[in-house]
Amino acid sequence: MHSGRQTSVKYYVGIDVGSASVRAALVDEFGTVVAHAEQPIQIWEPQPDHYEQSSADIWAACCAVTKKVVCGVDASQIRGVGFDATCSLVVVDKQFQPLAVNSQGQNNRNVIMWMDHRAVSQVDRINATQHRVLSYVGGVMSVEMQPPKLLWIKENLQESCWEKAGYFFDLPDFLSWKATGVTARSLCTLVCKWTYTSDGGWDDSFWKIIGLEDLVKDKYEKIGNHVLSPGESVGKGLTPEAAKELGLPKGIAVAASLIDAHAGGLGVIGADVRGHNLPCENQPITSRVALICGTSSCHMGVSETPIFVPGVWGPYFSAMVPGLWLNEGGQSATGKLIEHVVQGHVAFPELQSKAAASAQSIYTYLNSHLDLIKKSLPVGFLTVDLHVWPDFHGNRSPLTDLTLKGMVVGLTLSRGLDELALIYLATIQAIALGTRHILEAMEAAGHHINTLFLCGGLSKNPLFVQMHADITGKPVVLSKEVESVLVGAAILGACASGDFASIQEAMAEMGKIGRVVRPNREHKRFYDKKYEVFLKLVEHQREYRSIMKSS
């Protein structure tokens, strides 16, 4: 839906490709989302830990949602387009046609998703090299990055894919290519997921030592030898073909893209906080962490000088905010974990029917149900005997251990809605305790963090937000616009258009604070004890693994 507009207002289109859907927003120069649309995209899971998508399906969804949000708008007022996307790997041949990333030869499935863990043995071998580039990814490369996936393709699909491949794109870069016909890559994607460094570029010795020397021979044409900073204008803007497909004027500015989490960080971390009595007021932006929480979660902190944090990705120069170094912590499954725990419970059908009968979402209903059963206790205290370790999909930060598994301590034979509500609460607390674990690692390495800025789907859940405030002991800032990732993408388009002098200027103007959630200091002792138990859980898991190995 569109709100009323003045003819003089400038608009920017932000397009966000998430794991399961594509969204677009029309955002004005003041950071207000005036129209938005969403369309699902397909995911294939041909076998465990293999997740694939189709670049054609994704682009078609981009076009459909963009046409919806610009419908009825004076084209002359739309000044620029920005893309963000998951850091999935797109493979096309020399004619830019899709190539199968699977043994079934299904060419339409030419995207290995970010959360695909097929390349475990490859990443283990890469990490065993202890190459110097690994110091920029927390010392240990993640299976979710691109080098292990490229190595997997070479070793498993050499004839059908590797030898025929013309280009390997990070998904955000594929989108800017589709829009402009220019194969330039974003500094954000290459630095964060491909081992490119902002000062030295590609390191030939790394690619040779891991067995991908073929990429060096063609001067990195397949993975990118023309690099732009996020927000820089790409080529000559929208091509006539892309403009027609998107429903936009040809030639309007297209920005070098961002990874989706980084776009969320851009949309919130630079907001003007004056008048909210926050500890980060009159402090540099380095006192803030942006937490982008959806299917997975990312923790974005910036610094003026490089800070190396064990188990946390980075430091990446200018990967999100130009001129600042970025560290990125993360949890591989958060929204997905909550969904898994809730939907897998025996009482889920009862929850569904009761939530539908009360015209509420299942999570709103669960939050209300917790309020009913808490009696005189604070809600969070209901889990005094129930504890969760949340790494059902391995640990990304700060332990960088893919082999870790989820744990639940304190189960009973009860199977009702009360028990479902409690395990839901304990899971949310576990995710927040994981955030505390990441923040403590960042602070121990030299970051000084006093305020969290949350965005993404989970930031709409008040219980999730309050638990993060209480468990970390830091105030949580929610943006005025819930769709901060889309605002971040639009900020890119605004910069590419030339309407703002810098990313920082656009962030301050277009990022707006909505609500502040403060920690309840009276609950600190309880959550300190929960955190102590939380750390014991992983100790015990490693201990029993050691016992089993010794047998």
Side-chain angles (χ1 to χ4, degrees), residues 520-536:
N520 189 324
R521 302 295 179 190
E522 294 177 8
H523 300 170
K524 181 180 184 301
R525 187 164 178 270
F526 176 80
Y527 289 116
D528 284 348
K529 288 182 175 295
K530 284 283 289 187
Y531 186 57
E532 191 177 339
V533 172
F534 180 80
L535 297 179
K536 287 284 185 188

Side-chain angles (χ1 to χ4, degrees), residues 92-136:
V92 295
D93 66 17
K94 294 171 180 65
Q95 287 74 45
F96 296 96
Q97 297 303 304
L99 271 177
V101 293
N102 49 75
S103 56
Q104 295 84 19
Q106 296 290 322
N107 281 330
N108 63 311
R109 287 161 36 200
N110 68 317
V111 180
I112 299 180
M113 286 188 72
W114 65 271
M115 61 184 182
D116 185 291
H117 283 192
R118 70 182 68 184
V120 170
S121 70
Q122 287 77 15
V123 82
D124 286 345
R125 278 179 274 141
I126 290 170
N127 285 323
T129 68
Q130 298 185 334
H131 193 279
R132 58 181 172 266
V133 300
L134 300 180
S135 65
Y136 287 90

Side-chain angles (χ1 to χ4, degrees), residues 292-329:
I292 299 87
C293 38
T295 306
S296 62
S297 291
C298 294
H299 307 69
M300 306 291 195
V302 291
S303 57
E304 293 178 358
T305 57
I307 298 176
F308 292 85
V309 186
V312 172
W313 297 342
Y316 304 134
F317 186 66
S318 289
M320 184 173 77
V321 181
L324 294 178
W325 294 84
L326 171 70
N327 283 110
E328 179 186 347

Side-chain angles (χ1 to χ4, degrees), residues 91-95 99-100 150-168 212 214-215 218 222:
V91 187
V92 295
D93 66 17
K94 294 171 180 65
Q95 287 74 45
L99 271 177
L150 292 170
L151 188 55
W152 184 93
I153 290 172
K154 182 176 180 179
E155 292 178 349
N156 292 274
L157 303 172
Q158 179 149 12
E159 289 185 15
S160 63
C161 183
W162 183 257
E163 291 176 359
K164 293 179 180 178
Y167 300 90
F168 298 99
L212 294 179
D214 351 20
L215 298 175
D218 67 359
K222 288 184 178 180

Side-chain angles (χ1 to χ4, degrees), residues 476-487:
V476 173
V477 177
L478 300 173
S479 59
K480 183 180 177 184
E481 291 292 346
V482 176
E483 307 297 354
S484 298
V485 175
L486 286 166
V487 172

Side-chain angles (χ1 to χ4, degrees), residues 320-347:
M320 184 173 77
V321 181
L324 294 178
W325 294 84
L326 171 70
N327 283 110
E328 179 186 347
Q331 295 162 294
S332 290
T334 49
K336 189 174 179 64
L337 174 62
I338 295 168
E339 181 183 277
H340 172 80
V341 168
V342 170
Q343 294 185 6
H345 196 278
V346 69

Side-chain angles (χ1 to χ4, degrees), residues 49-64:
D49 286 334
H50 288 230
Y51 295 95
E52 297 168 6
Q53 290 184 309
S54 160
S55 63
D57 178 49
I58 290 167
W59 180 251
C62 289
C63 296

